Amino acid sequence: MLEIHQFLISAGYRPLTAANNIVENAIIRAFKLLGEPCYDLLVNHLCAMHRLPRHILLTRYDLISVAIRQVFGYGSEVFLHEIRESLLESLPHLDRSLGTARIVEEAHKFEVLKFAGDLRRGRVILLCSNYSSRQQVLDAFFQRTTAAGTRMQHRLAEARYDDGENVVAGARAYCNLVSCQHSPVKQEEHTSARVFLCTHNIDESEVDLYDSVISHDHVVTDRPFMVYSRTGVPSTLNNREHN
């Protein structure tokens, strides 16, 4: 899966970083509170050792926590407690009984699902590794949003098939093909009133995967949960849809 993330970066896609920023700020805050200035050294070392880009490393709390324990020994629990408390402070909607690694995962999942629900233009492809994550993204994509931003019932009750065999509900369309047949998006199509969601099983051949990905404005992954947008392509409109 790491190869996919590296491909997306090289192909001109950039990750959304809201969840990463929450995680990073929580770690930095813990280090600052305890008077340790070595955060960047630790993260850079882990990136080099595990050959991970920084934004992917920040989804791997397991690696970060192990490194903190190795460096600080018994004192590491103070760091890890501060990180957890800072995360929960920034993510009050999460269950406080969750483990810290799960909190980090849920933060990234929340960012993905919010993106799917708020998307207002263009084409997005979900690279999924299991049915559960695919269904969660589809549910968020087809959920109705009120003017106040409240999530309502699904639009799927009004779904129909169009001439291209897409599942259409309101201004949203799910590409129902096993392998997406979208051609590269033309600039004028970014103003289209319809937003498309396609899915691709990452267990399929890489050739098909890369050919499918490159014709989309945005890419969502579920291992880890991450959103990538092509440089220069806006992810949402300022106005909300109500249909």
Side-chain angles (χ1 to χ4, degrees):
M1 190 68 177
L2 178 58
E3 291 79 7
I4 293 173
H5 294 277
Q6 292 170 331
F7 161 75
L8 292 172
I9 295 295
S10 65
Y13 292 89
R14 293 294 177 265
L16 298 189
T17 58
N20 269 348
N21 290 343
I22 289 173
V23 175
E24 187 163 39
N25 289 339
I27 300 172
I28 291 173
R29 179 180 176 184
F31 273 68
K32 284 184 176 179
L33 285 174
L34 298 168
E36 292 290 346
C38 59
Y39 165 73
D40 280 326
L41 289 175
L42 178 68
V43 171
N44 290 338
H45 171 70
L46 289 175
C47 287
M49 182 169 66
H50 296 286
R51 298 182 179 180
L52 293 174
R54 192 183 187 97
H55 72 284
I56 297 298
L57 177 70
L58 289 170
T59 70
R60 295 293 306 275
Y61 183 76
D62 55 330
L63 299 179
I64 295 171
S65 61
V66 166
I68 290 175
R69 287 190 172 98
Q70 289 174 341
V71 172
F72 297 104
Y74 291 114
S76 64
E77 294 307 317
V78 180
F79 280 88
L80 300 178
H81 174 76
E82 290 295 337
I83 292 171
R84 176 184 173 80
E85 289 303 306
S86 184
L87 286 171
L88 288 171
E89 182 180 321
S90 300
L91 302 163
H93 61 284
L94 293 183
D95 184 349
R96 295 187 66 88
S97 68
L98 295 175
T100 309
R102 179 70 183 282
I103 291 172
V104 171
E105 179 185 350
E106 290 296 319
H108 286 88
K109 182 193 295 186
F110 178 79
E111 181 174 38
V112 164
L113 299 183
K114 185 177 187 304
F115 173 86
D118 289 347
L119 193 65
R120 295 295 177 266
R121 66 173 70 172
R123 297 171 179 170
V124 56
I125 185 168
L126 166 64
L127 306 182
C128 55
S129 59
N130 62 71
Y131 176 82
S132 175
S133 56
R134 171 182 171 275
Q135 196 58 45
Q136 288 179 69
V137 173
L138 275 173
D139 285 347
F141 179 73
F142 278 114
Q143 220 168 26
R144 190 185 302 276
T145 305
T146 68
T150 304
R151 303 292 189 193
M152 302 293 286
Q153 74 276 12
H154 290 165
R155 299 180 179 89
L156 287 177
E158 59 195 63
R160 58 181 175 79
Y161 285 95
D162 66 7
D163 294 339
E165 295 301 312
N166 299 297
V167 178
V168 178
R172 294 176 173 254
Y174 169 56
C175 180
N176 199 38
L177 299 174
V178 174
S179 181
C180 176
Q181 301 297 313
H182 282 142
S183 58
V185 180
K186 298 178 181 178
Q187 185 63 36
E188 59 268 20
E189 289 180 321
H190 289 309
T191 60
S192 171
R194 180 174 292 179
V195 55
F196 283 88
L197 172 66
C198 311
T199 58
H200 189 106
N201 189 319
I202 59 174
D203 292 330
E204 296 178 15
S205 71
E206 289 188 356
V207 173
D208 291 340
L209 170 62
Y210 295 158
D211 288 345
S212 295
V213 164
I214 206 67
S215 64
H216 294 79
D217 304 304
H218 314 285
V219 183
V220 171
T221 64
D222 69 347
R223 207 169 62 189
F225 282 101
M226 189 72 61
V227 177
Y228 292 85
S229 292
R230 193 188 300 278
T231 304
V233 176
S235 61
T236 60
L237 296 176
N238 291 329
N239 59 308
R240 290 190 172 274
E241 66 179 80
H242 309 296
N243 55 344

